[in-house]
Structure formats: structure tokens, C-alpha cells
Amino acid sequence: MKAALFRGTGGRPGVLVEAGFLVLWFFIFARLDALVGKDFAAAEANALALQTVEHLAHLDIERSANAWLAAHPVLGHLAVYLYRLYYLVVAGVLLWVFVRHAEVYRHVRRTMVAMMALVLPVYWAVPMSPPRFALPGTVDIVARYDFLGLESWTHPTHHTAMPSMHVGWSLWCAYAVWTALRGTHPRLALSAWLFPALMVADVFATGNHYVLDVAGSVALLAVAVSAATLWGRLTALRRTSARLRTDPRER
């Protein structure tokens, strides 16, 4: 029992050590995230430039998707629930992988940590106003139907629409499930990608992200997976070297 709490068993890290690390990391991320995207003028300018690119590429579907959802109140309420409560899915997937698929847990957790570390410089370099603020005629669906009643939603302290972390986290969830199940349940593993597809539709229709924000989320996951893979290989090499130094018989 003590080993499971502190040193870990079955390929898993210790429960208390892992929980402490994740809580500390999320706290640091939240504090740093609150410091970026403060330049509202730059955020508006970047949003205008992005809108221009999307218009030229015929990708500007956000306004039409938003207008359609605004005309369907029942679906609007459901979209807000998804937008607000998806964190429960992220936490559930992380816990499920930890308990049931220890063989891939460290990799998917490293991917999560890498995503959080990589997105902050982007937020700092490219603040971005979401369509609900920067695209004329967009209805703020979450503010209209928000069941949490958060004033900070209508008066945000920072603008960080690029990339969309709602889509980013849903992509991470799908990647984690796919990684865990692709060898034993390939069809079920593929079905996990329906979750980010639904989230993409949600962020467009609620007026929270642009098409290129979603493209940025896909790129973020790809880079994070590469970083996590390299991280894992370096960790394995370091452990092998340490074992060889302490036990010459393994050379």
C-alpha cells in the first residue's frame, strides 16, 4: 500500500506523488495563463488579421454556425453544458488511463504537460480575441445560456483564443483513449475522436473560436506528442545508464 502511494506499482507512479505533481503543475499553469493575453488592442488586431486570412481562404464559417445555433435555444443550452463541463471528461480520462492502462499513462500525462507548457508562449506572442468579441454580429451563446453565471465570462481579463484549448483538451482525451485501446479495441479507439469533432462544432457555434484556432490546436497536440515521446526516450536512456552504473553485471 505504501509503495503504491509513494513509489508506484505496476508501472504507475506513486498516487500521492503524482497527485501532488499534477495539482502543483495545474496551479502554476493557471497562474501563468492569467498573465498572458492582456494586450486587448493586439488581440483585436490579430483577430482582424486572422479573419482576413480565413475570408481569403473561404474558411470563415464561424458567423453562419453561430447564427444557426442562436436560432435553436435547446441546442444552445446543450452546447453551453458541453463547453462548461468538458473538464470532467478530461479528468475522467486521465484517471481512467492511470487506473486501467498504466502502460501508457506516463506518455499521455507527459503529452498533457507538454501541451500546457507549449501553449503559454503562443498565448503570450499571439493574443487573440474570440469571434464573440471581434466578429460583428456574433451572439455570445455561453453568456446567453450560462448556468454558472460567471461575470468573468462577459468581462474576461485576457484574450487567448489561439489555439483553442477546449479543442486541444478534447483532442488530448481522444489521443489518450486511442493510445490505450488501439491495440485491443481499434474500433472503440477510433470512436474517441468523435469527442473533439463535437467540440469543434461547439466552439464554432458558440462564437468562441475560429477555424484557424482549431488548426492551431491540432498542431499543438502533434508537437506535444513529439515532445512527450522524446521526453520518454530520454528518461529511459537515463534510467538505463543509471542502472548500468550501479550494477556492472548488466553491461
Side-chain angles (χ1 to χ4, degrees):
M1 181 66 177
K2 185 177 180 180
L5 290 176
F6 293 98
R7 293 193 300 273
T9 58
R12 301 177 186 86
V15 174
L16 291 182
V17 174
E18 185 70 4
F21 166 75
L22 289 175
V23 168
L24 178 61
W25 177 247
F26 276 99
F27 174 77
I28 293 173
F29 175 79
R31 295 301 296 268
L32 293 176
D33 181 47
L35 298 176
V36 296
K38 297 284 191 177
D39 190 341
F40 286 6
E44 292 288 334
N46 289 333
L48 180 60
L50 185 144
Q51 291 170 31
T52 300
V53 172
E54 287 196 351
H55 179 71
L56 292 174
H58 303 289
L59 297 174
D60 49 341
I61 64 172
E62 301 88 1
R63 203 193 317 258
S64 57
N66 177 256
W68 182 86
L69 185 61
H72 296 80
V74 173
L75 293 179
H77 280 93
L78 294 175
V80 173
Y81 274 98
L82 174 62
Y83 194 85
R84 285 300 199 196
L85 299 180
Y86 84 106
Y87 291 108
L88 299 178
V89 179
V90 177
V93 168
L94 184 64
L95 180 61
W96 172 74
V97 176
F98 182 86
V99 173
R100 299 294 300 275
H101 296 277
E103 71 280 3
V104 300
Y105 173 75
R106 293 181 188 272
H107 174 69
V108 297
R109 188 255 284 148
R110 287 169 181 153
T111 302
M112 170 182 277
V113 171
M115 286 178 66
M116 296 166 73
L118 291 167
V119 77
L120 288 172
V122 180
Y123 283 166
W124 175 78
V126 191
M128 184 75 66
S129 292
R132 60 193 175 98
F133 290 140
L135 192 60
T138 301
V139 177
D140 191 339
I141 300 293
V142 177
R144 173 182 285 185
Y145 301 123
D146 195 7
F147 59 94
L148 296 180
L150 297 178
E151 185 178 356
S152 61
W153 180 255
T154 52
H155 299 88
T157 59
H158 58 299
H159 287 179
T160 52
M162 167 64 81
S164 166
M165 284 307 288
H166 275 75
V167 175
W169 287 130
S170 64
L171 284 168
W172 175 86
C173 288
Y175 176 74
V177 173
W178 177 77
T179 302
L181 297 181
R182 60 180 173 172
T184 55
H185 302 85
R187 291 184 179 178
L188 187 59
L190 286 175
S191 69
W193 296 100
L194 294 174
F195 180 46
L198 182 61
M199 185 60 73
V200 168
D202 192 286
V203 299
F204 287 162
T206 55
N208 281 288
H209 290 285
Y210 306 95
V211 171
L212 292 182
D213 293 342
V214 172
S217 302
V218 174
L220 176 65
L221 176 67
V223 175
V225 169
S226 298
T229 301
L230 179 60
W231 182 354
R233 289 175 180 173
L234 292 176
T235 300
L237 287 174
R238 185 169 63 251
R239 289 176 177 171
T240 301
S241 298
R243 188 170 62 250
L244 291 175
R245 286 196 300 269
T246 57
D247 190 354
R249 291 174 299 177
E250 294 192 20
R251 295 179 181 175

